[in-house]
Amino acid sequence: MTNAANSTHARIRRSNLAVPGSSPKMLDKAKGLAADQVFMDLEDSVAPLAKAEARKNIVAALNEGGYDGKVRAVRVNDWTTQWTYADVIEVVSGAGANLDCIMLPKVQNADQIHALDMLLTQIEKTEGLDVGRIGIEAQIENAMGLTNVDQIAAASPRVETIIFGPADFMASINMKSLVVGEQPPGYDVGDAYHYILMRILMAARAYDKQAIDGPYLQIKDVDGYRRVADRSAALGFDGKWVLHPDQIAAANEVFSPRQEDYDHAELILDAYDWHTSAAGGARGAVMLGDEMIDEASRKMALVIAGKGRAAGMQRTQAFTPPDAG
């Protein structure tokens, strides 16, 4: 089986656009938007009577193409429903060659990942697709899922992302709020979501997965979206859902490094490479201006530089070795 985890760093997911599978118009419009990932939804945004037709719409959209440069995902219904197996079979059999990931909502344990992995493998073999190429995105939406998030992240090499689903999660723990993403009334110190976000982030990083924050439902409040996105981005999350085109630019900006941070990271990498070389004196801890850098600095810089490169950023400063200045 191809290790799907090896491909996660090649995929950039700053903005993850939700598109109802029941709307051919919106599926088509998404092709021209600047979202890094488009996930075509068969779950909450599609009424039960519209799910069968939505599968057909999604297969047609994927096969028609036009999502160049985007991660193409489909969110199926969760395993407790009667629709999941048909969602997976029809979409993957019909358009598996043009699909990158299946998003599984309301994941509660590793067995649910194992079941999806097995079903995908059977379809891939039947359809002559590369076994293991289609990844899995696991959405954590309740207390049981968070309790088992480590096992979920480790359940299959196909798992690429761990996603926070705030609305269902808030309901599952009886949170006193009806505004998704905002602090519940009475919680006036700290961030009510901090533990949840950090728990997901730790599981994701422990098993080399990406961590994705969920939606902000006040779609006309872009400043509010940016404020909430800043929190998860500061922790180290890789991206966030977008429900409206107006949120895309904010997500792409928030989950990309600032230009000055990207430039500084590239300078650290160049300086460290030079100073640790024979020409630079083969030293392990050196100065870059007024800052001491070492191997730990290099590791931190690799994260920022990697995100900047994936986002297509261009550096504006070049490193000049001291003896060449």
Side-chain angles (χ1 to χ4, degrees):
M1 176 180 289
T2 301
N3 190 337
N6 291 335
S7 69
T8 60
H9 298 297
R11 304 196 201 273
I12 183 168
R13 290 182 170 95
R14 298 166 301 174
S15 50
N16 301 260
L17 177 64
V19 184
S22 53
S23 174
K25 180 180 178 181
M26 295 179 71
L27 290 169
D28 185 65
K29 182 178 179 180
K31 298 175 184 180
L33 299 177
D36 292 332
Q37 170 164 299
V38 172
F39 75 86
M40 305 169 187
D41 194 24
L42 287 169
E43 201 214 12
D44 286 349
S45 69
V46 179
L49 292 178
K51 291 186 187 294
E53 188 65 26
R55 294 182 195 127
K56 295 180 173 60
N57 295 339
I58 287 172
V59 169
L62 287 169
N63 288 336
E64 183 180 276
Y67 300 97
D68 300 343
K70 297 174 174 29
V71 182
R72 303 157 298 177
V74 173
R75 182 169 71 161
V76 298
N77 289 276
D78 79 89
W79 276 124
T80 67
T81 73
Q82 69 268 39
W83 301 297
T84 316
Y85 81 99
D87 289 344
V88 177
I89 292 171
E90 187 166 337
V91 169
V92 179
S93 296
N98 300 310
L99 175 68
D100 297 309
C101 294
I102 290 289
M103 184 186 298
L104 185 64
K106 299 177 178 63
V107 180
Q108 299 190 63
N109 55 59
D111 288 344
Q112 293 177 331
I113 299 295
H114 296 154
L116 178 56
D117 189 339
M118 185 180 299
L119 181 55
L120 286 171
T121 297
Q122 291 176 345
I123 300 168
E124 288 166 338
K125 289 180 177 179
T126 299
E127 300 295 334
L129 302 170
D130 292 339
V131 174
R133 187 190 63 79
I134 297 173
I136 294 174
E137 303 190 355
Q139 193 174 9
I140 304 301
E141 300 188 74
N142 57 39
M144 184 60 72
L146 191 67
T147 299
N148 293 324
V149 67
D150 291 308
Q151 294 92 330
I152 290 167
S156 167
R158 291 185 190 266
V159 176
E160 296 190 15
T161 69
I162 308 296
I163 304 165
F164 176 41
D168 281 284
F169 199 100
M170 291 164 67
S172 86
I173 61 172
N174 297 337
M175 184 176 280
K176 184 184 172 183
S177 178
L178 290 172
V179 184
V180 175
E182 293 290 1
Q183 301 303 309
Y187 201 94
D188 58 353
V189 178
D191 181 356
Y193 305 98
H194 182 76
Y195 169 75
I196 304 167
L197 292 172
M198 285 299 291
R199 188 72 186 84
I200 287 173
L201 183 63
M202 292 303 102
R205 294 297 182 253
Y207 295 99
D208 195 27
K209 316 300 181 184
Q210 291 185 336
I212 305 297
D213 195 7
Y216 184 76
L217 271 59
Q218 317 305 308
I219 60 174
K220 294 185 179 180
D221 183 3
V222 178
D223 289 339
Y225 178 92
R226 186 184 298 274
R227 172 172 43 79
V228 172
D230 276 335
R231 294 174 185 163
S232 54
L235 294 177
F237 271 63
D238 298 287
K240 184 174 177 63
W241 278 18
V242 294
L243 302 182
H244 190 276
D246 289 348
Q247 296 176 333
I248 294 174
N252 288 344
E253 179 184 342
V254 168
F255 290 95
S256 296
R258 296 181 304 170
Q259 184 66 48
E260 56 266 36
D261 292 336
Y262 172 64
D263 285 338
H264 188 55
E266 293 285 14
L267 285 174
I268 289 174
L269 294 176
D270 286 350
Y272 188 76
D273 285 347
W274 187 82
H275 283 294
T276 56
S277 70
R283 292 173 291 168
V286 298
M287 297 300 293
L288 176 62
D290 295 330
E291 175 187 13
M292 190 190 81
I293 61 173
D294 57 12
E295 174 61 15
S297 306
R298 185 189 71 85
K299 292 176 181 176
M300 295 169 65
L302 277 173
V303 173
I304 303 301
K307 288 188 175 184
R309 293 168 188 171
M313 297 179 70
Q314 300 295 319
R315 62 190 299 177
T316 61
Q317 300 179 41
F319 171 69
T320 303
D323 63 348

